[in-house]
Amino acid sequence: MERRPRVLVIDDEPDVVEMMKMALERQFEVLVAYDGKSGVAKARAERPEAIVLDIMMPEKDGFTACKELKEDAATAHIPILILTGVAEYFSRTQFAKSKGMEIEAEDFMAKPVDPNELVRRIAALIRKA
Amino acid sequence: MWEKLKLGGRFRFQTLRAKLVFSFLLVVLAGGSASLVIGTHMVGTTIITEAQKKVRHDMASAWLVYQEKLNRIRDVLDLTSKRDLVLRAAMSRDGEALRMALERVRLDYGLDVLTVTDRSGVVIARARPPYQKGDYQGNDESVRRALQKESVASTEIVPQEMLALEGPELVRQAYMEFVPTPKAKTRPQTRETAGMMLKAAVPILDLHGNVWGVIYGGTLLNRNYEIVDKIKDVVFRGERYGGIETGTATIFQWDLRISTNVRNRSGQRAIGTRIASDVYDHVLENGKSWIDRAFVVENWYIAAYDPIRNLKGEIIGILYVGTLEKPYTDLRHRVIYSFLGIAFIGLVLVLFLSYLIARSITRPVGELVRATEVIASGDFSHEVRISSVDEMGHLAMSFNGMVQTLRATMDQLHQMNQRLRDLNRHYLEMLGFVTHELMQPLGVLKGYLIMLQDQSLGDLSTAQQKQAVSTMLRNVNALINMVQKYLQLGRIEAGRLEVNKVRLGVFSEALQPILEDEKHTLESRRMTVKIENEEAFRRVEIEADPVLLRIVFSNLIGNAIKYGREGGTIWCGFREEPGEFRFYVKNEGRGIPKEQLTKVFEKFSRLTGDLERRRGGTGLGLFNAKEIVERHGGRIWAESQEGEWANFIFTIPKTLKDENPSQAG
């Protein structure tokens, strides 16, 4: 049997991470990091199949982390799902535009997250990749 | 400073200074011109009066000359009557000797006539060819009086036949045809044949003192200019003014100029002309003197006319003296011009002084105006420096006081405003913080509840468990919704301080992300979204704050999902109107009662009488949408067919006007 795809969840809230991990573990192997800096390091080391990235984090926020990952050739191919803040309603383009960056995440989800929807989206991202 | 603005047909002064100077000028001009008019009039009157006084004086002098001539004739006759030679010749009835003696006297003394009669008045000798004698002269008034031992001298009219007796040349000398004269009295005659003579008569007395006879003689005045020229020389001393003799004199025989030094246009003595009819009436008819201006031949004269009377006291002619008016009018003009000159210099001086005065008055006003302008522009640090102690100084002092008070008030206001801003910011920060912090645990709750509900974490063993989880999830969702709306409110409040307007595609940047987010919910309620005229919608661009616009769509679509019929359709679309775009979100369902169509946009409002629908509603979604739309200069309203559909429509202007009153950030 094939190895389960690995998903890296980067969020600073342990409870949230735990909840998402529980949902994702039904289909994926889940790696976790609790801040942007260690998240980027882990992504480079482990090369997961997908990344769930929170925006609001200490030690390197989601924007910066996303930018670094996408600019690094080693990690640029990994699809990223960004978790946006409540009532931010970012679209893909709006996300790129709002920070004046040339990068794009592959998907966006507003918090609070519906775990089933999250699993569905990650599965879709990995399938596409 | 003389700039004037013409407004509505009236002159208005642009500056206070010009107004002041003009007022000064007006006062000076009014006073000046009044005194000028009165002054020149007085000067004129005085000069004329002086001139008339002088003419009256001249007239008296002229009479002296005239009278002296008469007296001289009488004296000559008197002396002659007493000469031995004449007496002897007369007594001895030696006609030839008497004639020769008389002729010598006549020629020596320049007389025209010299005649001796006997006691009965019959002429016995004439001293002028052709030496006629034997005629009776006793009817002549002078002779008649002399026969009564009286010596007389007077001016007399001598008829032509009498002149003929005295000598034919005298007839020619006296004969004068009238020269047509404007303004002269109309008379039937066209010529004068009689002469006017200065005539004297004295008695010749014998040794006993009895009247033996009469000697009479005289000078014909017609064409004899001796007297008038003498008057001119004695009285006026031959003065000339501008090439014209200032003094003139004339002797009139009745109204006819018989002796004059007034010249006509060709330079000849103007004899034969006649006097003006008004002088005629005044002097000849009424026997009064006349002093007035008179236009004589070519120039104006100040003239005096006196009647000449004969021995019987009858008026027979006029003596005239006139002095040229021009020296007086010139004097008057000189006085007036120097008056004007002084007035003009005074005016200039007044103008200059009033300018200085006006400047000293208006300079502080100007300074105040400048200070006011500075303060009006918001700079309260400026103060007026006026050192005078008059009203201006007081004004400046009060002004400075006012500025200080204003400055203090403004500072206070500024501080209060800053405090309010800080408070507001703190409030917003707290709202954001609380809601955000609330959201985190709610998110965890929601996630686990969903997993519990779909039993991916293991089966729920009882129906009660399932119902409990389901109720918890519903309430958590309601809480999340509420927190979301408060977050929106915080955003809107923050937006009151700052709206980030950008040009954006409404479909791709506002509507589509919402639909993506709500995809799952839509599926779970089996609802479909139809975009009407999607191709055109994708091209619609407006200026708006993207986050705020997304909140509007999110709330409208959220409502459409929440209140729409399960399995129904939601229509989204737009219409282009002049000046604005109209966007709408329409859903099938129960709709909204007519009376509540406006109420739904109020803060914390919910549809009444619908318990089920109250759940999960915060009463903030439509209020938030309304706030946002209005801040973008648009309107929002609801339409509904109760039991069938509800439609929410809002407009956004194509060019956004600033609807944010407190954007001072």
Side-chain angles (χ1 to χ4, degrees), chain B residues 474 477-479 481-482 562-563 612-619:
Chain B
R474 204 175 62 235
N477 274 335
L479 257 180
N481 183 32
M482 199 182 297
K562 204 185 296 172
Y563 300 115
E612 196 198 342
R613 274 154 206 269
R614 286 181 60 178
R615 291 176 197 154
T618 58

Side-chain angles (χ1 to χ4, degrees), chain B residues 17-275:
Chain B
R17 191 180 302 169
K19 209 172 179 173
L20 275 171
V21 170
F22 185 74
S23 310
F24 279 130
L25 203 67
L26 211 65
V27 169
V28 169
L29 277 181
S33 47
S35 59
L36 205 67
V37 167
I38 294 167
T40 51
H41 181 74
M42 277 170 64
V43 165
T45 317
T46 311
I47 288 174
I48 294 295
T49 311
E50 278 305 310
Q52 288 182 349
K53 220 189 272 176
K54 182 174 178 290
V55 165
R56 208 168 281 133
H57 192 259
D58 291 347
M59 181 54 109
S61 309
W63 273 123
L64 276 180
V65 171
Y66 190 90
Q67 200 62 49
E68 191 231 37
K69 180 71 181 171
L70 263 179
N71 291 342
R72 186 166 168 270
I73 293 170
R74 195 190 56 202
D75 292 347
V76 166
L77 293 188
D78 197 30
L79 285 174
T80 308
S81 72
K82 292 179 174 107
R83 279 178 76 163
D84 275 353
L85 187 65
V86 173
L87 276 176
R88 264 203 310 275
M91 302 295 176
S92 65
R93 299 255 169 194
D94 184 347
E96 188 61 19
L98 184 57
R99 183 184 59 84
M100 278 171 62
L102 287 178
E103 190 151 25
R104 169 95 36 90
V105 172
R106 185 184 74 82
L107 290 173
D108 281 353
Y109 292 97
L111 299 176
D112 289 327
V113 172
L114 189 61
T115 302
V116 172
T117 69
D118 61 12
R119 188 179 346 202
S120 57
V122 175
V123 173
I124 55 172
R126 277 194 166 88
R128 186 185 183 95
Y131 312 116
Q132 288 262 359
K133 57 184 178 183
D135 54 303
Y136 177 65
Q137 290 289 339
N139 287 334
D140 182 82
E141 180 70 11
S142 312
V143 175
R144 200 180 59 77
R145 299 267 286 264
L147 284 173
Q148 287 162 17
K149 224 177 162 180
E150 200 180 333
S151 293
V152 295
S154 64
T155 315
E156 298 295 332
I157 298 294
V158 184
Q160 190 178 32
E161 60 273 22
M162 286 300 178
L163 287 176
L165 287 173
E166 300 297 346
E169 300 94 343
L170 297 179
V171 174
R172 279 197 300 279
Q173 188 184 334
Y175 180 84
M176 207 173 274
E177 284 184 354
F178 293 175
V179 174
T181 314
K183 294 205 272 183
K185 192 97 170 174
T186 315
R187 283 173 63 191
Q189 297 90 336
T190 58
R191 61 204 165 91
E192 182 62 61
T193 54
M196 194 156 98
M197 191 178 277
L198 295 180
K199 191 173 177 184
V202 298
I204 302 170
L205 303 177
D206 58 19
L207 291 170
H208 311 286
N210 297 320
V211 174
W212 180 89
V214 167
I215 182 166
Y216 74 87
T219 305
L220 193 62
L221 290 170
N222 307 54
R223 292 193 173 89
N224 180 341
Y225 308 112
E226 190 194 334
I227 292 179
V228 289
D229 286 348
K230 194 169 180 193
I231 289 172
K232 189 184 75 183
D233 290 341
V234 170
V235 177
F236 301 105
R237 290 173 296 277
E239 278 172 26
R240 298 174 81 84
Y241 188 87
I244 304 163
E245 284 171 338
T246 52
T248 54
T250 299
I251 295 166
F252 292 87
Q253 179 177 343
W254 195 238
D255 69 342
L256 178 71
R257 279 191 185 83
I258 54 164
S259 174
T260 185
N261 45 39
V262 175
R263 307 268 167 175
N264 64 19
R265 222 148 281 187
S266 47
Q268 284 158 345
R269 296 182 191 254
I271 50 168
T273 57
R274 296 188 297 132
I275 206 161

Side-chain angles (χ1 to χ4, degrees), chain B residues 448-651:
Chain B
Y448 281 122
L449 282 170
I450 287 171
M451 283 189 278
L452 278 175
Q453 190 186 41
D454 64 19
Q455 305 189 36
S456 55
L457 304 178
D459 291 348
L460 294 174
S461 51
T462 67
Q464 283 98 329
Q465 281 176 350
K466 282 180 187 166
Q467 204 203 325
V469 169
S470 155
T471 306
M472 278 195 280
L473 183 57
R474 204 175 62 235
N475 278 281
V476 165
N477 274 335
L479 257 180
I480 288 172
N481 183 32
M482 199 182 297
V483 170
Q484 240 169 5
K485 293 302 184 301
Y486 274 102
L487 270 173
Q488 288 176 1
L489 197 61
R491 260 247 122 84
I492 293 164
E493 299 286 328
R496 224 167 243 174
L497 301 174
E498 195 178 10
V499 176
N500 297 311
K501 278 169 280 179
V502 295
R503 191 141 196 97
L504 55 86
V506 178
F507 185 83
S508 61
E509 290 180 56
L511 183 56
Q512 205 170 29
I514 306 302
L515 292 177
E516 272 171 27
D517 277 348
E518 299 287 359
K519 208 160 123 191
H520 185 59
T521 330
L522 284 165
E523 274 165 20
S524 73
R525 283 181 61 78
R526 296 183 293 107
M527 293 172 110
T528 41
V529 174
K530 283 192 176 157
I531 309 295
E532 294 187 321
N533 199 6
E534 186 177 333
E535 236 178 88
F537 203 163
R538 283 180 181 277
R539 288 195 298 270
V540 174
E541 285 193 346
I542 59 169
E543 267 179 38
D545 183 313
V547 176
L548 295 181
L549 192 65
R550 278 194 287 274
I551 290 174
V552 175
F553 273 113
S554 166
N555 291 1
L556 293 184
I557 285 168
N559 275 1
I561 295 170
K562 204 185 296 172
Y563 300 115
R565 184 171 60 80
E566 188 156 0
T569 307
I570 295 171
W571 292 275
C572 297
F574 82 101
R575 296 250 186 294
E576 189 169 358
E577 304 276 340
E580 63 185 20
F581 284 106
R582 235 169 233 213
F583 303 97
Y584 61 89
V585 176
K586 185 179 178 184
N587 67 275
E588 292 177 297
R590 289 183 152 199
I592 307 160
K594 215 173 198 158
E595 65 275 11
Q596 296 195 30
L597 282 175
T598 53
K599 220 187 142 202
V600 292
F601 293 100
E602 289 171 15
K603 208 172 189 176
F604 305 121
S605 90
R606 286 171 220 177
L607 291 180
T608 51
D610 199 332
L611 267 178
E612 196 198 342
R613 274 154 206 269
R614 286 181 60 178
R615 291 176 197 154
T618 58
L620 277 174
L622 287 175
F623 172 78
N624 288 351
K626 183 169 181 264
E627 287 282 297
I628 293 167
V629 167
E630 285 177 357
R631 195 132 316 144
H632 283 79
R635 290 161 292 129
I636 187 167
W637 69 95
E639 292 169 0
S640 178
Q641 180 74 50
E642 235 189 309
E644 303 217 350
W645 53 263
N647 191 10
F648 287 85
I649 305 123
F650 69 94
T651 66

Side-chain angles (χ1 to χ4, degrees), chain A residues 13 15-16 18-19 22-23 26 56 86-89 91 94 97 110-112 114-117 120-121, chain B residues 436 439-440 443-444 446-448 450-451 454 456-457 480 484 487-488 491 509 513-514 520 550 554:
Chain A
E13 288 289 329
D15 281 357
V16 176
E18 197 56 36
M19 187 271 286
M22 200 178 281
R26 281 179 280 165
M56 296 237 293
V86 172
E88 290 291 333
Y89 308 105
S91 69
Q94 190 59 35
K97 261 190 199 170
K111 277 180 161 185
D114 179 334
N116 293 337
E117 178 71 12
R120 227 182 345 260
R121 298 255 191 125
Chain B
H436 188 262
M439 197 53 99
Q440 201 79 328
V444 176
K446 182 186 174 182
Y448 281 122
I450 287 171
M451 283 189 278
D454 64 19
S456 55
L457 304 178
I480 288 172
Q484 240 169 5
L487 270 173
Q488 288 176 1
R491 260 247 122 84
E509 290 180 56
I514 306 302
H520 185 59
R550 278 194 287 274
S554 166

Side-chain angles (χ1 to χ4, degrees), chain B residues 299-314:
Chain B
N299 297 289
W300 281 98
Y301 286 83
I302 298 164
Y305 298 86
D306 266 1
I308 299 173
R309 292 168 194 272
N310 64 9
L311 201 55
K312 288 179 183 164
E314 297 160 343

